[in-house]
Amino acid sequence: MGDVDNDGKNEVVVTGGYSNGSIAEVIVLSWDGEEFIKKSEWNAPGRESVYFPWIADVDNDGENELIVGPGNSLVVLNWDGEEFIPTTLKTYSRHTQVFGCVAKDSNGNGIPDIHVTFGSPDLEIWEWNGTAYEEKYSRTWKWEDETIEAIDIGDVDYDGIPEVCVGTNYIHILQWNGTSYVEEYTINETFGTLAVTCVGDFDNDGKDEINAGSVWKDDDKPYMEWIFKFEQV
């Protein structure tokens, strides 16, 4: 939910796929006072699926963009007043679905960075450099589970600096050090594919925690959910 077309009102973005081609993969709904109506849409080329959209001003122009991952491509959609204009940041040569697209400022420059996760144990972070989108960081956790939608950002260790939290079957916590992102901690008590990895203040104490849950499980283990809180000493 967010102001996709920069009219000062929030819209609801619904994404999907696996259709017969008659339904767009990205649909924007607006409340007209009585019901939700279709306000706009974007139909991805081919029959690709879009799992996890995000709305943010990622090019620092004062207007929001819509970040989506149709199939194995990463795309930023810019509303021009009549239709969405796509900018493809990358099309991946190997077949991997783009799942998570979370745009929050993780390097402290005031501009939301684009954090992308996949149907593979990978993470990419993209940044607007003033003239174009630039890939600033990438990481593969070989032999671990897919990252899928397991991505969120927040200050989970209360040092005043946001951390990037990524789930495979473990939770990887990374932080910008002024030059690159470094992994400062790994939570390895988890298991299963942690497509649920979210950051928020779940106990209303003014501090962020990490919520993780398995959506695919190991054969000999149950589905599980965890909430982790940083212990200050």
Side-chain angles (χ1 to χ4, degrees):
M1 185 179 71
D3 186 4
V4 180
D5 56 10
N6 302 290
D7 65 350
K9 298 179 181 180
N10 284 335
E11 290 82 35
V12 176
V13 179
V14 181
T15 59
Y18 296 113
S19 72
N20 59 8
S22 63
I23 301 174
E25 286 81 9
V26 177
I27 298 174
V28 178
L29 303 177
S30 178
W31 182 254
D32 71 353
E34 296 183 353
E35 62 181 348
F36 283 103
I37 60 171
K38 185 171 73 171
K39 193 174 185 181
S40 58
E41 65 179 37
W42 182 70
N43 206 339
R47 295 184 181 179
E48 305 293 354
S49 294
V50 177
Y51 283 91
F52 194 153
W54 199 269
I55 304 164
D57 180 11
V58 290
D59 63 1
N60 201 33
D61 66 349
E63 296 187 344
N64 285 331
E65 289 77 41
L66 179 59
I67 304 97
V68 295
N72 65 336
S73 295
L74 175 61
V75 177
V76 174
L77 300 175
N78 200 324
W79 182 255
D80 72 351
E82 296 183 356
E83 61 180 348
F84 284 108
I85 306 301
T87 298
T88 300
L89 277 57
K90 189 174 182 178
T91 297
Y92 300 88
S93 56
R94 59 189 176 88
H95 182 73
T96 181
Q97 172 73 46
V98 176
F99 274 90
C101 300
V102 172
K104 297 182 180 180
D105 180 15
S106 61
N107 63 10
N109 68 350
I111 303 172
D113 308 287
I114 302 173
H115 308 77
V116 191
T117 46
F118 304 86
S120 54
D122 295 296
L123 166 72
E124 286 186 1
I125 302 176
W126 291 73
E127 179 186 59
W128 179 256
N129 64 16
T131 57
Y133 296 101
E134 177 183 356
E135 184 181 327
K136 297 291 289 186
Y137 180 82
S138 64
R139 178 74 182 270
T140 299
W141 289 278
K142 194 174 182 181
W143 310 122
E144 296 186 19
D145 286 1
E146 300 95 322
T147 50
I148 316 184
E149 297 107 333
I151 177 68
D152 207 353
I153 294 89
D155 182 10
V156 295
D157 61 5
Y158 322 136
D159 63 352
I161 304 172
E163 283 78 38
V164 178
C165 301
V166 188
T168 55
N169 45 310
Y170 304 129
I171 302 172
H172 300 275
I173 302 172
L174 301 91
Q175 188 177 78
W176 178 254
N177 67 0
T179 305
S180 184
Y181 291 87
V182 295
E183 187 163 341
E184 59 180 15
Y185 195 78
T186 303
I187 298 174
N188 56 16
E189 303 162 46
T190 53
F191 52 82
T193 304
L194 305 178
V196 179
T197 301
C198 303
V199 173
D201 181 8
F202 304 115
D203 59 5
N204 296 299
D205 67 345
K207 298 177 181 179
D208 283 338
E209 293 83 39
I210 301 172
N211 175 216
S214 55
V215 297
W216 296 336
K217 68 183 185 67
D218 296 344
D219 289 340
D220 58 343
K221 295 179 180 178
Y223 286 104
M224 285 290 294
E225 181 181 14
W226 300 264
I227 294 178
F228 293 100
K229 186 177 186 66
F230 184 73
E231 183 178 356
Q232 293 176 297
V233 295

